[in-house]
Amino acid sequence: MFRLTSRRTLLITALFLLVALAAFSLRGLLDQDLDRRTFEAFDFSNGTTHLSGTLWLPDQPPQSAVVLVHGDGPQNRTSDNGYAPLINSLLDANIAVASWDKPGLGGSSGDWLAQSMQDRADETTAALAALRQRLPGLATGALGFSQAGWVLPKLRAPQADFLVLAGPAVSWLDQGRYFGITRNLREGMDRSAAERAADAQAVQDAANFGPEAGEETIRRTGLTPARYAFIQRNLHADARQDLHALDIPLLAIWGEDDLNVDAKGDSQIYRTVLAGRAGSSVVLVANATHGLLKADAYNAQLTSDWPATRIVRFLVEGRRAYAPAALSTISAFILAQNRSGAGNP
């Protein structure tokens, strides 16, 4: 009798664990699904460029609204669905979300590689105006990632009511050096050798992207002419001047274990520049990556470096792939802007 009871207990326990695991997986997979949400086309123009995107609406009347501003690279409106857990999290907090394909991708005309950071800021301003027209009376702002750190600080009131930056760098050149040092360390160099190699690369880059560079130099870099021109155009981007002039509440948030950006150094610059600015906040999230995911599970300089097992884990975990409090910190800041009266006539 004891043996039979034990077997039944084990069976019930095993079934319970299987159900719990299935429920956990299903919840994470639901975070990857945006088709189940209410959405509509979000098309607008910036000069002669037509931008095509999507506006997702929460189940309840939205309390705030935000546009997503991409980081570097050829990204479509959902960043190949990488944004899905974030968008679902914002929607569940009753925040409307709009995003669009970069110029030249998906349904958008133009060429993102032909843009300067000011061009990207103008594009974001046009998106915010379109969103405000669609959802009047709400606090309306922008949530940007990485490279958006040289884009969003160019905005001023009343173009936006608030800004959120995830993983921004202050200086393009300094960020490149930090990225190079980190890559060298991860490849096995000691600190001194890693810094020397990064400094040598910086000297080479100064020559490669200088005004005297010709076609042979471009070929030597291994970049396409369009990518080369994009880097040359934006190489000296630095957010300091724009941050000093900022008149909009800003949340700047980094993962402490960021491998791409000097989170501790750049966050200190933000703290210094934004000191005394009402409504602004600088946050470092423990055990978090450049994209605010859990560092012990997901840290890499590029998501293309993820093995298949890590991709599967992200799909199963959904929003739980993010470091604790990262998403709630962003949502709480956005919602606080509407309560403060921003966006109201």
Side-chain angles (χ1 to χ4, degrees), residues 10-33:
L10 288 172
L11 179 59
I12 291 171
T13 301
L15 287 173
F16 176 80
L17 291 174
L18 285 172
V19 170
L21 179 61
F24 180 87
S25 300
L26 179 61
R27 185 179 174 190
L29 291 173
L30 283 175
D31 280 340
Q32 311 295 344
D33 182 12

Side-chain angles (χ1 to χ4, degrees), residues 48 53 56 63 67 90-91 107 113 116 123 127 148 152 161 196 201 249 251 262 275 281 285 335:
T48 59
W56 291 272
Q63 298 179 30
V67 299
L90 293 170
L91 292 173
L113 283 171
S116 66
E123 179 180 289
L152 297 190
D161 294 317
R196 286 198 304 272
Q201 185 61 54
L251 168 64
D262 182 5
S281 182
V285 181
L335 292 172

Side-chain angles (χ1 to χ4, degrees), residues 104-180:
L105 299 173
S108 296
S109 66
D111 181 1
W112 68 273
L113 283 171
Q115 292 184 306
S116 66
M117 296 300 104
Q118 184 60 58
D119 293 331
R120 297 201 63 201
D122 293 342
E123 179 180 289
T124 304
T125 299
L128 286 164
L131 184 59
R132 198 186 301 276
Q133 185 175 26
R134 194 79 64 90
L135 298 172
L138 297 180
T140 304
L143 164 55
F145 313 96
S146 194
Q147 190 183 94
W150 297 301
V151 177
L152 297 190
K154 296 181 180 298
L155 273 58
R156 301 287 177 265
Q159 295 168 327
D161 294 317
F162 63 87
L163 304 173
V164 179
L165 286 170
V170 173
S171 161
W172 184 300
L173 290 172
D174 290 347
Q175 187 270 332
R177 181 176 185 272
Y178 180 87
F179 186 98

Side-chain angles (χ1 to χ4, degrees), residues 306-344:
W306 284 4
T309 52
R310 196 171 301 174
I311 296 172
V312 171
R313 179 171 178 171
F314 177 77
L315 292 174
V316 170
E317 287 199 312
R319 72 186 70 181
R320 288 179 297 280
Y322 284 83
L327 295 181
S328 59
T329 297
I330 292 172
S331 295
F333 176 83
I334 294 173
L335 292 172
Q337 307 314 309
N338 211 54
R339 291 193 292 271
S340 71
N344 295 320

